[in-house]
Amino acid sequence: QVINFKTMPTAPSKPQRLNASRVWSRSAELQWEAPEHPNGDIQLYGLRLYTKLPTFNKDGHQPNWSLNSTIHVAVSTGQLLKNVSHLVPYTEYQISVVAVNLQNQNKLVSPESTKLNILTKDERPTAPSSCSIVSRSATTLQVQWKSPSPGDHKIAFYKITQKSLTDTRNDSAIAQRSPIEIYGLIPYRDYRVTVTAFTNNTRLLQGPPCQLIARTSVKTPGPPTDCRVGKEDVTSLIVGWSPPAVEDYKIVYYKVVFQSKLHYYQSVKITPGILEQKNLSAATTYNVTVTAFTNNTVLV
C-alpha cells in the first residue's frame, strides 16, 4: 500500500548578525546575514522599527516598545543591506529583521532576529533668520531675529555675543526670545554681534550663528567747563576754558564765537586753554560761546 502525503512548508529560521554599519541623525545603514536555514527561496526581508512608548512596564523601569513601521526589502541584488531614512534625530530605536518565503500563496515569516538598539545622532538647529540690529542710543544696541528651524527639537535658549572691532574683549548674554537689548556699550563704536541657538537635548548643541555688525549712536559731548572771559585791551578779549566731560571721544577742536549786534567773529583752537581774539570793536558788548567738536563722522 502506497500512502501519499505532502509536508507542510516550513518558515525560515531567523536572520543573523543584524548590525548598523552607519548611523546618522535621520538615517541608518543596516546589514544582516541570511538565515541559517532558509527552507526555500527567500523573496524579501522585513525590517521592523520599534520606538519607545511614554509608558512603562509593570516594574516601572523598562520602557515599552511599540512597532513603529516595517520596511520591506526585496531580495534582488543579493546584498542584505538597507539605508533606512526618515528617522528622528536623537531618538532610540529597536530594530529587528525577519525573512519571508512565499510558497503556494502561503506567506512564511521567520522569527525576528536578535534586536538591535541604535540611537540616532543629534542634529544642530539652523542659524536664526531675519537678523537685524539697530542702535537705540549711544550705549545700547537692540538685536532681533526669527527662530531657526529646530528640526525635531525645541530651542532651549539663544546666546548673544558682542565684541568691539577695536579690542579683544567678548561679552555674552542669554535670551529665551527675540528681541534683546545690549547695554553698557561704548558710544560710536563698531560691534560684531552673533546670535546662536541651542537645543535642549541631554547635551546642549549649538547651531551656526547669525552674525551682524553695527555701530552705536553718536553721543554729544557736554559743554566746555570753567569758561571765563577777560579784557586784554580796548579791542581784544581773552577766553579760557577746560575740556568737557566726554566719554570715549577725542575732541577734534573748539570753536569760539564772538558775536555783537553788528559783528561776528569765529576762531578755532585745537586744544583747550586760552584764546585771544584781537581786532574787536571798542566799547562793544560781545556774546562769547565755546563749543567742542568730537572726532565722529558727524562732528558734534
Side-chain angles (χ1 to χ4, degrees):
Q1 182 179 3
V2 177
I3 300 176
N4 295 318
F5 64 92
K6 185 177 182 180
T7 57
M8 295 296 295
T10 304
S13 59
K14 65 181 182 180
Q16 305 178 89
R17 298 179 179 84
L18 173 64
N19 72 89
S21 55
R22 295 179 182 179
V23 178
W24 297 276
S25 61
R26 293 178 180 269
S27 61
E29 189 175 81
L30 304 174
Q31 293 179 313
W32 62 95
E33 293 182 6
E36 182 179 2
H37 304 291
N39 297 326
D41 294 329
I42 295 174
Q43 281 76 38
L44 58 88
Y45 289 91
L47 286 169
R48 296 178 177 178
L49 276 65
Y50 296 84
T51 53
K52 287 182 179 179
L53 289 174
T55 57
F56 293 84
N57 288 333
K58 294 181 180 180
D59 59 11
H61 294 90
Q62 293 295 326
N64 288 319
W65 291 90
S66 173
L67 181 61
N68 182 279
S69 61
T70 300
I71 301 171
H72 292 105
V73 182
V75 180
S76 56
T77 62
Q79 291 184 340
L80 303 184
L81 176 99
K82 177 64 177 178
N83 192 306
V84 179
S85 57
H86 305 296
L87 302 180
V88 178
Y90 206 72
T91 300
E92 188 175 359
Y93 288 89
Q94 197 173 79
I95 303 173
S96 66
V97 60
V98 295
V100 180
N101 277 347
L102 298 176
Q103 297 183 18
N104 299 326
Q105 298 183 345
N106 292 319
K107 184 178 179 180
L108 304 176
V109 181
S110 75
E112 286 186 308
S113 67
T114 301
K115 291 181 178 178
L116 171 72
N117 285 62
I118 66 169
L119 176 66
T120 52
K121 291 185 177 180
D122 212 339
E123 190 172 73
R124 297 176 184 273
T126 57
S129 62
S130 302
C131 296
S132 64
I133 188 167
V134 294
S135 178
R136 287 299 187 194
S137 70
T139 59
T140 305
L141 292 174
Q142 185 184 70
V143 187
Q144 299 185 64
W145 65 90
K146 289 185 179 179
S147 298
S149 170
D152 297 278
H153 303 305
K154 179 182 178 182
I155 300 299
F157 61 87
Y158 299 90
K159 182 179 180 182
I160 295 85
T161 302
Q162 55 87 3
K163 178 183 181 298
S164 169
L165 299 187
T166 58
D167 59 44
T168 58
R169 178 182 174 184
N170 277 316
D171 290 310
S172 61
I174 300 300
Q176 298 295 329
R177 62 185 63 87
S178 170
I180 184 175
E181 291 193 345
I182 306 173
Y183 301 97
L185 305 177
I186 298 173
Y188 206 72
R189 183 71 61 89
D190 289 325
Y191 286 90
R192 177 179 287 110
V193 179
T194 60
V195 182
T196 308
F198 286 76
T199 57
N200 66 338
N201 297 318
T202 303
R203 63 187 182 92
L204 291 173
L205 193 69
Q206 71 181 72
C210 168
Q211 184 169 279
L212 301 161
I213 293 179
R215 176 177 293 177
T216 49
S217 301
V218 174
K219 184 176 182 180
T220 304
T225 59
D226 192 25
C227 295
R228 54 208 181 273
V229 179
K231 184 170 65 174
E232 179 67 14
D233 55 42
V234 294
T235 60
S236 299
L237 291 174
I238 296 177
V239 180
W241 68 92
S242 298
V246 180
E247 295 181 2
D248 307 298
Y249 289 116
K250 178 182 178 183
I251 300 299
V252 176
Y253 62 85
Y254 296 88
K255 183 171 74 172
V256 185
V257 174
F258 300 81
Q259 186 171 7
S260 68
K261 291 183 179 180
L262 299 176
H263 302 96
Y264 181 93
Y265 300 92
Q266 175 180 300
S267 297
V268 172
K269 196 171 188 301
I270 302 300
T271 58
I274 296 175
L275 181 141
E276 181 181 0
Q277 181 67 45
K278 298 181 179 181
N279 302 318
L280 301 175
S281 299
T284 302
T285 300
Y286 285 90
N287 290 322
V288 182
T289 60
V290 182
T291 307
F293 287 76
T294 62
N295 66 337
N296 301 320
T297 303
V298 180
L299 295 176
V300 181

